[in-house]
Amino acid sequence: SIEQKLDKITKATPEDIRRLLSDYDNVTARAVVPALIRFTSERQLDEEAKRYLNLVKTWDFQADPGSEAQTVYQVWMDSLRVAVWNDELLQVTPKAPMPDEQVLVELLLKDSASVFYDDINTPARETARDVVTSALNKAAGKLAAAENEGKLEWAKFKNTSIFHLLKEALPSFARRGLPMGGYGNTINAVTVNHGPSWRMIVHLTRDTEAYVVYPGGQSGNPGSPYYDNFIDKWAAGEYYKAWIMKKGEEGSDRLVWKMIFKKG
């Protein structure tokens, strides 16, 4: 968590904070993967599922752009969420929203005998071991399809994209397939099309030292080279040093243009 990371930093520098804001450590996975492995019956896994399980077993829990284990983990958890909740939720009208991932994590860690593991549509009474194992077998099909397309690495699978505000009408103005890791369960919480946008690091020295970046550009004109010129730097976790103009710098050659307001 952010709190745990901050506890390890003393005399923080801008570089410390830059690293923190770019952190891909999946603390949720660190907590729940041991339970997933414990509830998995390996003898009931398909061969592909066994291979994907081994990726998770040796994972360093970094949701890096090139991580295949992060992809396996997230697809497995998504499959498990559906298996645990959907049979009950589909009985409700209107359909209730599915609990978020953290609720499932708490269930796995604290209640191995919950009634929610049972599929109410079958005569058998499924256990945590049944549903976790089945979820990985089901996830393996989606993972194999992604792997066959060369998209098992997390950044390729997730396909982070930044769209124009009118994304349905102007899909050509989007920037797709950014080489970014992370997810909603990491500090650098970049999902498919949402995430931390404006980033700022301010060092409160005598003369303010600030670093800024955002996923766009300095022009709203799609025909301008400044329409999306910040995106690559933002995706890489890099920053621009901000110029905070002081009195006496009005004539600086760093000024590109001025706007002067006069009474009409």
Side-chain angles (χ1 to χ4, degrees):
S1 69
I2 294 175
E3 182 181 4
Q4 292 169 333
K5 302 288 182 180
L6 287 173
D7 278 345
K8 297 177 182 179
I9 298 175
T10 57
K11 297 182 179 180
T13 66
E15 179 59 21
D16 289 327
I17 304 305
R18 186 200 68 77
R19 283 195 298 266
L20 177 65
L21 295 178
S22 298
D23 195 285
Y24 284 145
D25 188 37
N26 192 332
V27 293
T28 303
R30 283 187 185 276
V32 78
V33 161
L36 290 175
I37 293 172
R38 186 171 66 252
F39 288 136
T40 299
S41 178
E42 294 193 40
R43 66 179 182 277
Q44 294 179 358
L45 290 178
D46 302 333
E47 288 305 310
E48 283 184 333
K50 289 179 181 177
R51 184 163 57 87
Y52 294 131
L53 176 63
N54 286 332
L55 285 178
V56 173
K57 283 183 174 181
T58 58
W59 185 25
D60 62 0
F61 300 109
Q62 299 303 304
D64 293 325
S67 175
E68 295 181 346
Q70 163 66 23
T71 306
V72 175
Y73 164 78
Q74 200 59 58
V75 175
W76 188 2
M77 284 293 283
D78 291 345
S79 174
L80 184 57
R81 284 180 71 197
V82 171
V84 169
W85 306 119
N86 246 21
D87 52 323
E88 284 86 6
L89 294 181
L90 290 175
Q91 306 299 315
V92 179
T93 304
K95 183 180 176 183
M98 189 178 295
D100 64 23
E101 184 178 79
Q102 191 58 40
V103 177
L104 179 58
V105 169
E106 294 296 319
L107 192 74
L108 289 164
L109 295 179
K110 298 180 180 179
D111 191 355
S112 61
S114 171
V115 297
F116 287 107
Y117 296 125
D118 179 47
D119 184 348
I120 63 175
N121 298 310
T122 68
R125 184 175 178 83
E126 287 81 11
T127 64
R129 180 171 292 273
D130 293 325
V131 74
V132 170
T133 303
S134 174
L136 180 54
N137 276 328
K138 290 179 180 177
K142 184 173 183 178
L143 291 165
E147 188 170 12
N148 289 336
E149 294 177 8
K151 295 180 179 179
L152 191 61
E153 292 182 3
W154 182 232
K156 294 177 182 177
F157 183 88
K158 180 162 62 98
N159 188 30
T160 293
S161 301
I162 295 176
F163 294 93
H164 188 278
L165 291 176
L166 299 175
K167 66 178 183 179
E168 299 299 332
L170 303 171
S172 298
F173 292 165
R175 283 288 301 276
R176 302 174 187 269
L178 296 175
M180 301 189 73
Y183 207 51
N185 43 26
T186 67
I187 293 174
N188 193 356
V190 179
T191 62
V192 178
N193 55 14
H194 288 79
S197 53
W198 172 260
R199 290 195 181 108
M200 175 186 287
I201 301 169
V202 180
H203 194 190
L204 298 177
T205 49
R206 182 176 294 276
D207 290 327
T208 302
E209 179 185 347
Y211 304 87
V212 298
V213 72
Y214 53 87
Q218 290 184 291
S219 172
N221 177 6
S224 167
Y226 303 106
Y227 174 66
D228 61 358
N229 63 311
F230 286 0
I231 289 180
D232 292 331
K233 207 172 184 76
W234 173 83
E238 298 174 356
Y239 293 77
Y240 294 96
K241 187 172 183 179
W243 176 35
I244 301 175
M245 193 173 70
K246 294 179 290 188
K247 186 175 182 179
E249 294 183 329
E250 296 84 354
S252 170
D253 57 8
R254 299 178 68 179
L255 285 173
V256 178
W257 50 269
K258 298 179 182 180
M259 182 180 293
I260 300 174
F261 295 93
K262 296 181 179 180
K263 290 183 179 180

